[in-house]
Amino acid sequence: MSLNRILVFFNFHFFFSFFFLFVSFEIYVRTMGLEYLDLYLIHWPVRIKEGANMFNLAEGEVLPFDIHGTWKAMEDCSKLGLTKSIGLSNFSCEKISQLLEHATIPPAINQVEMNVSWQQRKLLPFCKEKRIHVCGWSPLGAYGVLWGSNAVMESQILKDIATSKSKTISQVALRWIYEQGVSPIVKSFNEDRMQQNLQIFDWELTKEENVQILQIPQRRVFRADSFVQENGPIKSVEELWDGDI
Ligand SMILES: NC(=O)c1ccc[n+]([C@@H]2O[C@H](COP(=O)([O-])OP(=O)(O)OC[C@H]3O[C@@H](n4cnc5c(N)ncnc54)[C@H](OP(=O)(O)O)[C@@H]3O)[C@@H](O)[C@H]2O)c1
């Protein structure tokens, strides 16, 4: 590998049974020529059948999830030196509490949807109290993505703030997340937009601007309805998110 390993942060997600957790590691990590990961995450508090497509799940492809067994396997990965850190993604406060009952290594992070139109008002203080760092996916509301929303990038509130500060809407959206102590994980395939998204560290939002951002209506962009099945272990999106919806 020609890249300097120290300068690259490798984060993988794992989805299937906890046996598959080690298989996933071998498939994804060893074939890339890596010795270790920087961060390994449980992608969802959900288990799906090996090989299933999370966006198009057939009846019976969502299986019961063993929260403690899975975390124990993650801890084993950490103890074996396969990954520097282990963490969670899309876990609610209730599911984190359940996991912490038996954890010997606490999760380093919880990677969840976070943007001005889903501000994680319940989860964020909880994770801060538990010293679990939050990373925010879809910080621009997955703008232009098939399942995404325009609630962030076409917000009049953000537009007005951006104009008054000579910033772009995406910069205001990302700066707001950063000021909450959260690491936004923004995606762009465009070099100019990548550069633009990085210019958020040498200015700040005012108290008044923060108050305006609090007025933005709240709704998850991605509710993960595809995991809900009449005869499966998850009967409703409320159950998946433990009511935080
Ligand atoms: N853990 C999880 O369960 C989970 C779930 C969803 C997503 N994620 C991860 O989170 C990351 C980002 O999320 P996301 O891709 O869903 O949403 P996002 O970062 O909110 O939005 C990406 C979209 O915004 C556009 N964009 C980026 N910068 C822009 C700018 N400055 N101005 C205008 N448009 C801009 C991109 O288009 P261009 O590429 O054309 O710039 C792309 O269409 C991804 O790496 C994804 O893998 C994780």
Side-chain angles (χ1 to χ4, degrees):
M1 178 171 289
S2 56
L3 282 171
N4 184 338
R5 178 68 181 90
I6 307 252
L7 299 177
V8 186
F9 191 91
F10 284 94
N11 166 201
F12 279 60
H13 300 64
F14 138 87
F15 217 133
F16 307 109
S17 69
F18 57 82
F19 163 71
F20 212 71
L21 190 145
F22 292 100
V23 180
S24 302
F25 188 91
E26 288 300 323
I27 293 173
Y28 297 124
V29 179
R30 300 282 188 230
T31 52
M32 286 184 71
L34 299 175
E35 290 294 313
Y36 63 89
L37 282 180
D38 296 289
L39 179 63
Y40 203 17
L41 303 180
I42 305 179
H43 199 162
W44 287 87
V46 174
R47 179 183 161 202
I48 61 173
K49 209 169 162 188
E50 278 86 40
N53 173 358
M54 74 162 274
F55 292 104
N56 188 18
L57 289 163
E59 192 66 41
E61 286 188 333
V62 183
L63 305 170
F65 175 66
D66 175 356
I67 194 167
H68 298 303
T70 307
W71 190 249
K72 164 83 174 54
M74 294 292 279
E75 291 180 335
D76 290 345
C77 277
S78 172
K79 286 171 193 162
L80 288 167
L82 304 179
T83 180
K84 298 274 181 205
S85 300
I86 50 176
L88 311 171
S89 182
N90 302 305
F91 274 59
S92 65
C93 304
E94 282 72 8
K95 290 190 174 67
I96 295 172
S97 297
Q98 229 181 311
L99 183 140
L100 289 174
E101 281 168 21
H102 295 283
T104 59
I105 304 175
I109 74 151
N110 190 19
Q111 188 183 106
V112 293
E113 178 187 337
M114 184 162 166
N115 46 59
V116 292
S117 68
W118 184 249
Q119 301 183 4
Q120 291 288 7
R121 291 177 186 162
K122 182 175 175 196
L123 185 80
L124 193 55
F126 177 85
C127 285
K128 279 189 178 158
E129 186 208 315
K130 302 288 179 199
R131 304 175 71 83
I132 298 171
H133 184 69
V134 173
C135 294
W137 56 257
S138 295
L140 305 181
Y143 188 58
V145 178
L146 197 62
W147 49 268
S149 147
N150 57 10
V152 176
M153 293 298 283
E154 293 179 19
S155 156
Q156 192 57 48
I157 291 177
L158 290 200
K159 205 174 186 179
D160 292 344
I161 296 172
T163 306
S164 72
K165 299 180 97 68
S166 301
K167 301 291 174 194
T168 65
I169 293 180
S170 69
Q171 287 170 331
V172 174
L174 295 170
R175 176 72 203 186
W176 177 82
I177 296 178
Y178 175 69
E179 288 188 11
Q180 312 312 306
V182 169
S183 307
I185 316 168
V186 61
K187 187 232 75 178
S188 178
F189 287 123
N190 176 284
E191 203 175 327
D192 290 341
R193 288 195 282 278
M194 284 183 204
Q195 291 289 351
Q196 184 195 121
N197 294 343
L198 284 168
Q199 309 306 314
I200 62 164
F201 299 111
D202 56 356
W203 53 278
E204 57 190 26
L205 294 163
T206 64
K207 256 191 196 147
E208 294 70 28
E209 288 162 346
N210 271 294
V211 170
Q212 286 167 30
I213 291 172
L214 284 175
Q215 312 305 318
I216 295 174
Q218 295 298 294
R219 189 177 189 278
R220 281 182 193 275
V221 169
F222 188 68
R223 292 167 18 121
D225 297 79
S226 58
F227 296 134
V228 176
Q229 296 189 336
E230 201 180 333
N231 298 312
I234 303 164
K235 304 275 190 254
S236 65
V237 278
E238 286 74 15
E239 192 184 323
L240 175 66
W241 299 113
D242 296 301
D244 191 16
I245 186 94

